Amino acid sequence: CVAEEPQCHWLESFPVPIQPVYGAQHPPLDPRLTKNFIKDRSKANALPMKSKKASSFHEFARNTSDAWDIGDDEDEDFSSSSSSLQTLNSKVAKATAAQVLENHSKLRAKPEWSQSTLSDMPTNCKVIKSSSEAQLSRTAEEACVRTALQKQQSLPLRPVIPLVARISDQNASGAPPMTVREKTRLEKFRQLLSSHNTDLDELRKCSWPGVPREVRPVTWRLLSGYLPANMERRKLTLQRKREEYFGFIQQYYDSRNEEHHQDTYRQIHIDIPRTNPLIPLFQQPLVQEIFERILFIWAIRHPASGYVQGINDLVTPFFVVFLSEYVEEDVENFDVTNLSQDVLRSIEADSFWCMSKLLDGIQDNYTFAQPGIQKKVKALEELVSRIDEQVHNHFRKYEVEYLQFAFRWMNNLLMRELPLRCTIRLWDTYQSEPEGFSHFHLYVCAAFLIKWRKEILDEEDFQGLLMLLQNLPTIHWGNEEIGLLLAEAYRLKYMFADAPNHYRR
């Protein structure tokens, strides 16, 4: 996957359609970053205890839970300082000595372990002459097993990632899955959704703090404008729109092999396996085929923008939410071949139409030169300069451009910075907020940036800042963190959205 990433300096010119968008693990190759990194590595090898930049980088690596780098920084930490290794060896030696003395005292305290018994016992412990010896043998075997397990665990192997994007694990604090308050909210949603004409304003109000999993699929369809508020029209609308989508498939999908569409389809085909690579659901061939059809049909029907890297990420929340309507267990490990063809067709069509509704509001993010993103990044810079001048000046001091980290925040709607469960929760609010994806997202990005102000101010070089901003440690975030982020974003919007004189210098 890394080898296939195109190496282009995307910051030196305006992005164009089918533009590479780098993930958190693959930042753009900036000459200053590469130069500083090589320089710092050479200094670190010469003076491991005095290299300020190298130590700050290692400190950041130890505190970061990047899924691609788990298991690597441990070896790096051991090799970075001989004193730390000596300290570790000293602690291990003391602990081992203490354990040996403790075991020896226990043996001497046991009356049945006479000197003659010990002398009769073979060194290999294969012959057992008493129940006491049997106990010792079992203890020795258990010790051997523990030692073997410890050795095995100490091997520098990549551990199995504890699926970061567990959609069902909505609460990072371990709270009960359904409290009394949540049951009351769920009942309120069901009353709204079952009414003859759903009050969409009330539904948005209820959805802002999050939508219960049980009613999220139909709520998202309504909030995105895909389903009508009138109950009687919903079934016919779904049937008509699903048939219309598969009509597009019959009409356009075979043209993917034509010369003028080959570049678009080839780029989609390359990007799909890179979409959430740590989640088994998205690595299934059938799911990847569904995503290819959705993205190709959207690109054909929107020639002004075509396909741009990053749009592939926007399908995943819809697909997961609509899949959860038919799956009770954790969807991230679910085998979609267990579903009927009709169910898969429904999920595919609904994902296409809801993604299309989302992109209709932010399509200027993906047209030629992506002017929407350019404007939003500039607006973020102006907003941060008013919110936190110290952070803004810190970026200027070390020549960090907002485009170097915020381009992806706007292009992928923070999906590369957050676990999928957090994105789904975030989109509950985006769909209930007026112009959530196009306007409110700016304030979420500002709140997200200021959330890390301490870590940002602690970094005192270009390399450290860029590495931090492209690998923010949000791997264990849940509903609580997203709720606080959204509250701060709403406060910023309330203060600055309707006050342009305060918004600009």
Side-chain angles (χ1 to χ4, degrees):
C1 179
V2 177
E4 293 177 359
E5 285 286 352
Q7 297 182 358
C8 60
H9 303 285
W10 58 274
L11 298 174
E12 297 177 2
S13 62
F14 284 138
V16 296
I18 314 182
Q19 177 68 22
V21 176
Y22 292 85
Q25 298 79 18
H26 312 296
L29 297 178
D30 190 286
R32 293 173 294 178
L33 178 60
T34 308
K35 183 179 179 181
N36 291 341
F37 182 73
I38 295 173
K39 188 187 299 181
D40 294 342
R41 285 299 294 270
S42 62
K43 288 182 180 179
N45 292 333
L47 298 169
M49 298 302 294
K50 296 182 180 180
S51 178
K52 216 169 191 181
K53 293 181 182 179
S55 63
S56 64
F57 176 78
H58 289 313
E59 182 181 353
F60 163 67
R62 285 194 296 271
N63 296 328
T64 302
S65 302
D66 194 300
W68 289 101
D69 297 329
I70 287 177
D72 292 343
D73 53 354
E74 185 177 357
D75 296 333
E76 201 170 329
D77 294 340
F78 277 122
S79 62
S80 65
S81 173
S82 60
S83 62
S84 63
L85 185 59
Q86 292 171 359
T87 303
L88 178 65
N89 288 338
S90 176
K91 291 180 179 179
V92 171
K94 289 179 181 178
T96 304
Q99 186 65 40
V100 169
L101 289 173
E102 183 182 354
N103 292 341
H104 182 65
S105 63
K106 287 181 179 179
L107 286 175
R108 293 186 63 183
K110 289 182 178 293
E112 65 271 22
W113 286 99
S114 63
Q115 186 66 31
S116 60
T117 306
L118 289 172
S119 62
D120 290 339
M121 186 171 61
T123 56
N124 57 9
C125 298
K126 290 183 179 179
V127 179
I128 298 175
K129 296 186 177 182
S130 68
S131 60
S132 299
E133 292 179 34
Q135 177 66 28
L136 177 63
S137 177
R138 286 194 295 272
T139 304
E141 289 177 2
E142 291 173 359
C144 292
V145 171
R146 282 197 299 270
T147 303
L149 287 174
Q150 289 171 359
K151 289 182 178 179
Q152 185 178 5
Q153 291 171 357
S154 66
L155 292 176
L157 296 175
R158 290 187 181 275
V160 177
I161 303 300
L163 209 47
V164 179
R166 283 179 61 86
I167 294 94
S168 61
D169 183 20
Q170 288 290 321
N171 242 328
S173 64
M178 183 70 75
T179 63
V180 175
R181 182 182 177 185
E182 289 170 341
K183 288 181 180 178
T184 304
R185 292 189 69 244
L186 178 57
E187 186 60 31
K188 177 83 178 288
F189 271 93
R190 283 175 172 161
Q191 289 177 2
L192 280 170
L193 297 172
S194 61
S195 61
H196 182 70
N197 281 294
T198 300
D199 186 341
L200 295 181
D201 290 334
E202 186 65 23
L203 185 63
R204 290 189 185 95
K205 182 180 177 182
C206 292
S207 300
W208 207 99
V211 181
R213 182 180 187 270
E214 295 82 356
V215 294
R216 185 176 274 133
V218 64
T219 301
W220 276 27
R221 291 188 188 103
L222 286 165
L223 293 179
S224 64
Y226 175 45
L227 270 188
N230 185 279
M231 172 72 77
E232 295 177 354
R233 294 174 51 205
R234 291 178 192 171
K235 185 176 181 180
L236 290 175
T237 300
L238 282 177
Q239 182 179 351
R240 177 174 56 83
K241 297 298 285 185
R242 289 167 179 171
E243 290 176 356
E244 184 178 354
Y245 168 73
F246 283 101
F248 294 151
I249 295 292
Q250 293 179 356
Q251 184 176 357
Y252 298 117
Y253 194 59
D254 287 341
S255 66
R256 67 188 184 279
N257 297 318
E258 296 177 4
E259 185 176 355
H260 58 290
H261 289 155
Q262 279 186 355
D263 289 342
T264 297
Y265 181 73
R266 185 184 301 112
Q267 190 61 58
I268 292 172
H269 189 72
I270 291 172
D271 289 345
I272 293 301
R274 300 174 181 174
T275 305
N276 292 302
L278 299 178
I279 302 180
L281 173 68
F282 300 114
Q283 302 310 306
Q284 299 178 37
L286 187 54
V287 174
Q288 294 184 357
E289 290 174 11
I290 290 173
F291 275 48
E292 285 183 5
R293 287 195 293 267
I294 290 173
L295 294 171
F296 183 78
I297 295 302
W298 189 88
I300 293 300
R301 298 189 70 247
H302 295 82
S305 60
Y307 173 73
V308 178
Q309 284 183 297
I311 295 179
N312 55 306
D313 289 328
L314 305 184
V315 186
T316 56
F318 292 114
F319 185 83
V320 166
V321 168
F322 296 141
L323 176 62
S324 67
E325 195 171 17
Y326 304 94
V327 179
E328 293 184 0
E329 61 264 30
D330 295 336
V331 297
E332 61 267 21
N333 292 303
F334 182 76
D335 184 359
V336 297
T337 58
N338 294 325
L339 296 175
S340 67
Q341 188 67 23
D342 289 340
V343 167
L344 287 173
R345 287 167 63 91
S346 299
I347 294 171
E348 179 178 347
D350 293 355
S351 299
F352 169 82
W353 286 115
C354 288
M355 185 200 73
S356 298
K357 292 286 186 181
L358 185 161
L359 288 170
D360 285 347
I362 58 171
Q363 191 171 351
D364 62 341
N365 284 8
Y366 305 105
T367 54
F368 180 76
Q370 298 182 258
I373 291 179
Q374 304 288 338
K375 293 176 183 176
K376 288 182 175 70
V377 171
K378 184 63 178 175
L380 177 65
E381 181 177 357
E382 294 177 354
L383 184 57
V384 172
S385 70
R386 303 300 297 172
I387 296 169
D388 197 322
E389 190 172 7
Q390 188 178 3
V391 168
H392 179 70
N393 290 336
H394 193 69
F395 286 153
R396 294 180 65 182
K397 179 180 178 180
Y398 296 105
E399 300 181 355
V400 174
E401 301 290 339
Y402 283 76
L403 195 65
Q404 291 169 320
F405 62 89
F407 177 88
R408 189 176 70 221
W409 294 12
M410 302 301 177
N411 191 79
N412 301 86
L413 299 176
L414 287 176
M415 288 193 64
R416 299 281 178 93
E417 328 311 318
L418 299 171
L420 183 54
R421 64 173 179 272
C422 294
T423 296
I424 291 173
R425 166 63 190 91
L426 188 66
W427 284 21
D428 288 342
T429 300
Y430 277 7
Q431 295 195 84
S432 58
E433 180 76 19
E435 298 181 326
F437 294 99
S438 59
H439 185 61
F440 187 61
H441 179 67
L442 169 66
Y443 300 97
V444 172
C445 288
F448 185 67
L449 180 63
I450 302 305
K451 168 77 171 66
W452 311 101
R453 77 179 309 274
K454 181 182 182 300
E455 291 82 354
I456 289 171
L457 296 176
D458 286 344
E459 295 291 344
E460 296 183 347
D461 63 277
F462 174 83
Q463 169 194 322
L465 280 167
L466 210 58
M467 292 298 291
L468 169 65
L469 291 167
Q470 293 178 337
N471 297 273
L472 291 167
T474 61
I475 197 169
H476 297 299
W477 273 30
N479 276 358
E480 293 84 355
E481 290 81 2
I482 295 298
L484 292 172
L485 180 70
L486 288 167
E488 177 63 15
Y490 186 81
R491 185 184 72 84
L492 294 176
K493 178 191 173 188
Y494 183 81
M495 291 175 62
F496 293 96
D498 298 322
N501 292 333
H502 295 280
Y503 178 75
R504 297 181 178 86
R505 286 187 173 277

